[in-house]
Amino acid sequence: SDHTLEYPSSPEAMDWSSYYPAFTTDTSPEESTQLKKLTKDVEVVDIGCGFGGLLVALAPLLPETLLLGLEIRTSVTQFVQEKIWALREQNEGKLYQNAACIRANAMKFLPNFFKKAQLTKIFICFPDPHFKARKHKARIVSTTLNSEYAYALRPGGILYTITDVEALHRWMVQHLDAHPSFERVPEDEVEKDECVKVMQNETEEGKKVARNKGQKFVTLFRRIEDPPWE
Ligand code: SAM
């Protein structure tokens, strides 16, 4: 429950320096009691990142962008963080400095971690389907949560979704189509997007579905500009 979840009181209060040491500014001794600042903000988030296949595959493709996985299971979060540390070491500190994973409930406190319009991409890959109607409120795509994603994404930013469960695919499309801050990304653009291939082929779930010869439903949504105040 929430009392075991750690979350900052605001995005400014979050100390990211231990997650991205290579992207941290040196602070002078007088400043050492202050939070160390990152040279750039986290811009890409993988919600429910599981074992981190997407993060690890995207990190070398987007070497100057900070990527963050959010995962609710403590042991899985630790596994991903340790995998990233090992990869940094194997690559003599030159790669994977831009990836990290934290334990968080993505359904709660998202605005505590990210400022308005901070993110350029949000990934929702093979989220838990919660088939039963009484469990639908646990789905990671909902009217309320979509507003939080819209808040954190900058105009032009992309929300990526993929699932092998057709009913969940329809649910996500229905809720995102209905949201005034999102528009569907056309098919030709989806096909050209490098990140889509990673989402299909490098996530643990994507690999499992491929082994079982299952279908993968991909839909991308663009965060549109807010209308001017009337
Ligand atoms: N995205 C990964 C992939 O494609 O291989 C993992 C998919 S797995 C089916 C769903 C993951 O979401 C699990 O690791 C689960 O622990 C995590 N999860 C479920 N609810 C969550 C929440 N509210 N906040 C963060 N992670 C969550």
Side-chain angles (χ1 to χ4, degrees), residues 2-189:
D2 294 348
H3 61 267
T4 62
L5 278 170
E6 284 179 31
Y7 59 95
S9 57
S10 71
E12 292 71 32
M14 182 70 194
D15 186 355
W16 294 108
S17 59
S18 62
Y19 296 96
Y20 306 102
F23 291 90
T24 304
T25 51
D26 291 326
T27 41
S28 59
E30 312 85 75
E31 290 176 316
S32 63
T33 52
Q34 294 181 351
L35 286 182
K36 284 190 184 167
K37 290 241 161 41
L38 286 181
T39 54
K40 50 180 71 174
D41 286 331
V42 170
E43 282 192 16
V44 174
V45 168
D46 183 9
I47 295 196
C49 68
F51 292 93
L54 182 91
L55 283 178
V56 161
L58 279 185
L61 292 181
L62 305 168
E64 293 305 321
T65 305
L66 299 190
L67 321 175
L68 181 71
L70 302 180
E71 173 51 52
I72 200 163
R73 288 181 289 169
T74 310
S75 58
V76 177
T77 307
Q78 204 168 343
F79 172 89
V80 175
Q81 196 55 60
E82 281 169 14
K83 180 154 92 177
I84 291 167
W85 289 332
L87 284 167
R88 286 179 186 173
E89 225 172 85
Q90 284 162 30
N91 290 278
E92 292 155 2
K94 292 192 188 80
L95 285 174
Y96 301 100
Q97 296 288 349
N98 58 328
C101 177
I102 58 170
R103 177 169 184 241
N105 181 349
M107 300 182 84
K108 291 176 177 176
F109 318 122
L110 223 50
N112 291 62
F113 289 98
F114 311 113
K115 295 179 288 204
K116 183 173 163 63
Q118 175 174 338
L119 306 179
T120 56
K121 298 179 198 294
I122 295 178
F123 290 91
I124 300 182
C125 301
F126 302 97
D128 294 327
H130 297 295
F131 288 106
K132 296 199 180 103
R134 66 181 170 79
K135 285 283 203 173
H136 284 174
K137 57 180 183 300
R139 286 180 168 171
I140 212 86
V141 163
S142 68
T143 307
T144 315
L145 288 169
N146 291 351
S147 290
E148 295 201 355
Y149 305 143
Y151 172 84
L153 268 179
R154 76 185 55 159
I158 308 279
L159 178 71
Y160 293 75
T161 72
I162 185 168
T163 177
D164 57 324
V165 178
E166 191 169 3
L168 179 62
H169 162 67
R170 282 198 305 259
W171 167 282
M172 294 198 287
V173 168
Q174 181 201 329
H175 283 79
L176 285 157
D177 271 348
H179 199 286
S181 299
F182 290 102
E183 66 179 15
R184 204 115 44 113
V185 174
E187 206 47 48
D188 56 321
E189 248 181 86

